[in-house]
């Protein structure tokens, strides 16, 4: 199979843009599935998303911040993620403004109007340079679009959908979620709202999340081809528990798999209940996926104080707005409920922004510009926000087990006491976080993906909570994640027209694709 592609490092490799009729149509999943399918054929493939808006991010080995979806797509492709794969990342701080991360580094805050009024268009050259570099390095690059390519109000400044496809001259496949209904109208309308030049790059469609007998769908697909002159490249069945780390929303891969599939019974006599506070601007909530992957651990997101009553562990997750989230906890009575838990010796874990909220004091002239704010006072920690963001991939030990994680935060924590450090080096010197009683805090995302540490931590939680819960001895989060990515690859291999996909990726845009009126206004 690899012989059909150019040798890596030679001429520019093949490409495909996976667009969608809507947000959440399945672009991220399909992109990952194509990457895994190609990688299994021996093709050197890389993912790419020119511009991502997400509060779920990851740190590459070179210390660059990119969207977690692109990091997981890189895992699907079996390559190391780099900043080239997501050159522009927007991290919302409110309904109207976002932090702009360019080539892995934060470069400032911009309003939506300011970004679309000029800054976005200026970034097209950077974006196409990154894509060109990937195409010189890999046999194929699978690009993911954003939202819909037919957002006619934003087309002039677009750098992630048809603007990118036009600049790089790559074919476009449009994905539609049939589970939402109206997929034929969505495919036709998306195409018909594009200009003649943009339509010339739309090579076909892919139906996602189909339930039932596909033969009943086929007449509609034939009519769609007659109306648009474009074929449907596959019909993917609805499958529970699919997905990779999402851009936003609460449908996260392994947590979804645990909730929607047959859940393994607890290894011990009882289950362990985990309540995650659904704070505003929640970021990297994928941290709790590893907890949900454990047999007998039930994870749910909550926003009311009474929902903490039966929880064995409460998690305060990361957030892009620590001070705002702290106010939210207080307004809803969750802050008092967490304080009562701590006084009773019941477990609480804070991660990144959650860790900062558990401290005594926060000095923030950067993120919220609120100045000095009292924290929850449950950990002996004082936090000062720095202008420079900490981006790191640290390793250490906790509870006698090796731990790897990643850091993405402006807050610098000064630990003034506590019963023990959270994470330390091989000599026992503190690296991050602390514990006071049953309250734990750390800036490290991803630490719970380290299997030995996760099991040790859950044993401590169960003991503090008085639960007869025993972690399963053989749960491997990395193995579960690989199985998920293989399932995505299987979907493409078994339900897509892979021969047609290969032709698009290798040969580019087909000639003679007809224009569908009326076109862009």
């Amino acid at each position: 199979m690899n012989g059909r592609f150019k040798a890596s490092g030679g001429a520019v490799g093949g490409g495909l843009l996976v667009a969608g009729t809507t947000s959440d149509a399945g672009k991220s999943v399909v992109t990952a599935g194509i990457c895994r399918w190609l990688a299994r054929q021996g093709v050197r493939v890389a993912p790419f998303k020119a511009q991502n808006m997400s509060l779920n991010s990851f740190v590459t080995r070179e210390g660059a911040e990119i969207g977690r979806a692109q990091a997981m797509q890189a895992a699907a492709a079996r390559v190391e993620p780099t900043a080239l794969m997501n050159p522009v990342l927007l991290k919302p701080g409110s309904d109207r403004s976002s932090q702009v991360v360019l080539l892995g580094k934060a470069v400032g805050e911009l309003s939506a109007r300011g970004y679309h009024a000029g800054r976005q268009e200026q970034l097209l050259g950077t974006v196409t340079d990154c894509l060109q570099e990937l195409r010189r390095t890999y046999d194929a690059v699978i690009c993911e679009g954003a939202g819909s390519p037919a957002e006619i109000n934003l087309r002039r400044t677009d750098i992630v959908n048809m603007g990118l496809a036009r600049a790089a001259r790559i074919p476009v496949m449009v994905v539609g979620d049939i589970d939402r209904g109206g997929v034929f109208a969505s495919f036709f309308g998306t195409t018909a709202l594009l200009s003649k030049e943009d339509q010339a790059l739309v090579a076909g469609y892919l139906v996602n999340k189909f339930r039932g007998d596909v033969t009943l769908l086929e007449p509609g697909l034939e009519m769609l081809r007659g109306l648009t002159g474009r074929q449907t490249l596959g019909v993917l069945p609805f499958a529970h528990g699919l997905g990779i780390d999402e851009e936003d929303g609460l449908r996260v891969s392994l947590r979804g798999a645990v909730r929607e599939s047959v859940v393994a019974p607890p290894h011990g006599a009882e289950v362990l209940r985990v309540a995650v506070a659904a704070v505003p601007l929640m970021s990297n909530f994928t941290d709790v996926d590893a907890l949900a992957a454990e047999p007998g651990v039930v994870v749910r997101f909550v926003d009311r104080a009474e929902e903490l009553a039966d929880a064995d562990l409460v998690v305060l997750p990361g957030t892009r707005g620590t001070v705002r989230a702290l106010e939210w906890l207080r307004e809803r009575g969750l802050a008092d409920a967490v304080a009562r838990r701590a006084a009773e010796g019941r477990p609480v874990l804070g991660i990144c922004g959650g860790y900062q909220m558990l401290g005594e004091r926060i000095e923030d002239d950067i993120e919220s510009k609120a100045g000095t704010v009292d924290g929850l006072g449950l950990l002996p920690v004082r936090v000062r926000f720095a202008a420079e963001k900490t981006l790191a991939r640290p390793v250490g030990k906790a509870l006698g087990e090796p731990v790897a994680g990643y850091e993405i935060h402006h807050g610098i924590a000064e630990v003034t006491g506590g019963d023990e450090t959270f994470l330390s080096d091989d000599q026992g010197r503190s690296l991050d976080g602390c514990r006071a009683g049953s309250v734990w805090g750390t800036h490290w995302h991803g630490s719970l993906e380290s299997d030995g540490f996760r099991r040790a931590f859950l044993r401590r939680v169960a003991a503090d909570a008085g639960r007869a819960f025993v972690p399963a001895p053989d749960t491997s989060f990395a193995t579960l994640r690989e199985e998920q990515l293989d399932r995505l690859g299987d979907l493409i291999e078994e339900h897509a027209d892979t021969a047609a996909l290969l032709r698009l990726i290798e040969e580019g845009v087909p000639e003679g694709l007809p224009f569908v009126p009326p076109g862009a206004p």
Side-chain angles (χ1 to χ4, degrees), residues 233-263:
L233 298 164
V235 178
L236 306 187
F238 190 100
H240 291 283
L242 281 180
I244 56 175
D245 292 359
E246 307 249 358
E247 293 181 357
D248 282 302
L250 295 181
R251 293 170 300 280
V252 184
S253 57
L254 296 179
R255 186 173 69 251
V258 168
R259 283 181 169 177
E260 296 173 3
S261 61
V262 178
V263 180

Side-chain angles (χ1 to χ4, degrees), residues 121 225 456 471 513:
E121 198 171 11
R225 183 164 188 168
L513 292 170

Side-chain angles (χ1 to χ4, degrees), residues 46-121:
F48 179 79
K49 185 159 186 174
Q51 172 196 293
N52 198 346
M53 178 172 281
S54 178
L55 288 171
N56 288 329
S57 57
F58 184 75
V59 180
T60 67
R61 282 184 179 171
E62 72 267 30
E65 184 179 7
I66 66 172
R68 268 197 72 102
Q70 279 61 67
M72 285 297 286
Q73 288 163 356
R78 295 177 176 151
V79 298
E80 188 66 28
T82 73
L84 292 174
M85 297 173 185
N86 179 207
V88 182
L89 172 63
L90 304 178
K91 302 191 73 174
S94 71
D95 291 339
R96 296 191 175 186
S97 68
S98 294
Q99 182 181 67
V100 180
V101 179
L102 180 61
L103 292 174
K105 303 297 180 185
V107 295
E109 296 273 340
L110 272 181
S111 68
R113 180 178 293 274
Y115 184 67
H116 288 289
R119 178 62 168 163
Q120 185 181 32
E121 198 171 11

Side-chain angles (χ1 to χ4, degrees), residues 125-169:
T126 299
V127 162
T128 54
D129 286 348
C130 290
L131 176 56
Q132 190 78 350
E133 180 63 26
L134 288 174
R135 294 180 75 185
R136 282 194 292 264
T137 306
Y138 292 91
D139 304 330
V141 179
I142 308 303
C143 308
E144 179 188 345
S148 162
E151 291 169 350
I152 54 181
N153 56 316
L154 303 177
R155 175 60 185 90
R156 183 181 62 81
T157 57
D158 170 52
I159 63 172
V160 65
N161 290 308
M162 302 312 300
L164 176 71
R166 286 267 292 275
R169 196 64 192 170

Side-chain angles (χ1 to χ4, degrees), residues 276-279 301-308 328 332-334:
V276 185
V279 298
F301 285 83
V302 304
D303 59 6
R304 296 182 298 181
E306 55 268 29
E307 293 178 294
L308 304 188
W328 181 88
R332 290 177 169 261
L334 285 160

Side-chain angles (χ1 to χ4, degrees), residues 293-358:
E294 285 285 348
V297 175
V298 180
V299 176
R300 68 184 189 275
F301 285 83
V302 304
D303 59 6
R304 296 182 298 181
E306 55 268 29
E307 293 178 294
L308 304 188
D310 66 343
D312 302 306
L313 170 66
V314 169
V315 177
L316 301 185
T319 172
R320 171 83 164 85
T322 300
V323 171
R324 177 178 169 185
L326 190 55
E327 292 171 351
W328 181 88
L329 290 175
R330 287 176 168 138
E331 290 167 357
R332 290 177 169 261
L334 285 160
D336 289 339
V338 170
R340 286 193 297 271
R341 289 183 61 88
E344 295 164 1
R346 301 171 68 195
V348 178
L349 170 64
I351 302 174
C352 200
Y355 169 41
Q356 296 166 5
M357 289 186 277
L358 290 170

